[in-house]
């Protein structure tokens, strides 16, 4: 098991190795850049081609990629051979427009499972033995605020994300004695490929952001990447089994919005 200074000197991930699924764009790409900037050698597993991701190479980090369908078995041997200290299970998507559960086609559920839960199980199962053998590691699962609140029209998606959160807790307790930590990040209101707020929110509605989250918004992929960097580094060496909400406060607010006249309401009518 690694020894730890009170505050790690220099780059936070110097010499570490990381695997990030879905790192070609959005939140995943921001995590990849942050890790490489802090000295990690990052291997990206994505179906999409990896664009040139700019980062500060002064800490000695690097970025490489393999074309990989995370839904497929087996997990590519090159990822195991990379001997990662850090695994970020980032891939996830609700895949289609909202549908009432009663109108769902059950044959679509396996795809939702593989994208949102199954891939994290498979990748963790493949890469965890190396971490435990080396006596250290950090697994980071990207969930969503909808793992903690309702998402009408996406009941199956939110169920799988909630399961990923519980997997995080249970695995953290199981592997903690081996020196491996397991945590989750639950984003909301983050500008992303799936939810492009720059396109969805018209200019005349920009002033409404403070009504949608206590910190306003939207958040950026770099906001999630900063938390992932914390969870990957020794700064979080005593943190495991938790979920960090990167959402501008929407989860803690629980539907409460500020009134223009003062105070708060959870029954907003043009607050």
């Amino acid at each position: 098991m690694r020894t730890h200074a009170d505050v790690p000197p220099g780059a936070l991930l110097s010499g570490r190795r990381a695997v990030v699924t879905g790192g070609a764009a959005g939140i995943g790409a921001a995590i990849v850049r942050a890790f490489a900037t802090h000295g990690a050698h990052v291997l990206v597993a994505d179906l999409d081609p990896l664009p040139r991701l700019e980062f500060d190479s002064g800490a000695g980090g690097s970025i490489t990629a393999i074309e990989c369908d995370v839904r497929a078995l087996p997990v590519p041997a090159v990822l195991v051979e990379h001997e990662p200290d850090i695994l970020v299970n980032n891939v996830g998507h609700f895949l289609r427009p909202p549908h009432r559960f009663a109108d769902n086609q059950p044959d679509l559920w396996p795809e939702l499972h593989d994208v949102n839960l199954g891939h994290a199980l498979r990748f963790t199962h493949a890469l965890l033995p190396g971490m435990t053998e080396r006596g250290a590691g950090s697994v980071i699962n990207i969930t969503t605020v909808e793992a903690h609140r309702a998402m009408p029209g996406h009941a199956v998606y939110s169920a799988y994300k909630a399961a990923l959160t519980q997997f995080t807790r249970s695995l953290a307790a199981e592997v903690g004695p081996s020196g491996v930590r397991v945590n989750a990040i639950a984003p909301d209101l983050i500008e992303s490929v799936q939810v492009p707020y720059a396109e969805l929110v018209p200019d005349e509605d920009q002033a409404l952001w403070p009504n949608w989250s206590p910190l306003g918004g939207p958040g950026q992929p770099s906001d999630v990447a900063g938390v992932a960097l914390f969870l990957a580094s020794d700064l979080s060496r005593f943190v495991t089994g938790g979920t960090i909400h990167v959402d501008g406060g929407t989860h803690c607010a629980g539907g409460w919005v500020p009134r223009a006249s003062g105070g708060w309401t959870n029954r907003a009518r043009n607050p």
Side-chain angles (χ1 to χ4, degrees), residues 168-186:
T168 299
R169 292 191 190 102
S170 297
L171 185 63
E174 183 177 313
V175 302
S178 71
V180 178
R181 299 179 295 105
V182 188
N183 290 284
I185 301 174

Side-chain angles (χ1 to χ4, degrees), residues 241-260:
T243 298
I244 299 180
H245 291 265
V246 184
D247 58 12
T250 57
H251 180 250
C252 72
W256 290 90
V257 298
R259 294 181 185 273

Side-chain angles (χ1 to χ4, degrees), residues 162-203:
L164 182 57
T165 302
Q166 186 58 31
F167 170 66
T168 299
R169 292 191 190 102
S170 297
L171 185 63
E174 183 177 313
V175 302
S178 71
V180 178
R181 299 179 295 105
V182 188
N183 290 284
I185 301 174
D188 187 26
L189 299 183
I190 299 294
E191 183 78 27
S192 67
V193 176
Q194 292 96 338
V195 189
Y197 286 105
E199 300 173 14
L200 296 175
V201 179
D203 291 343

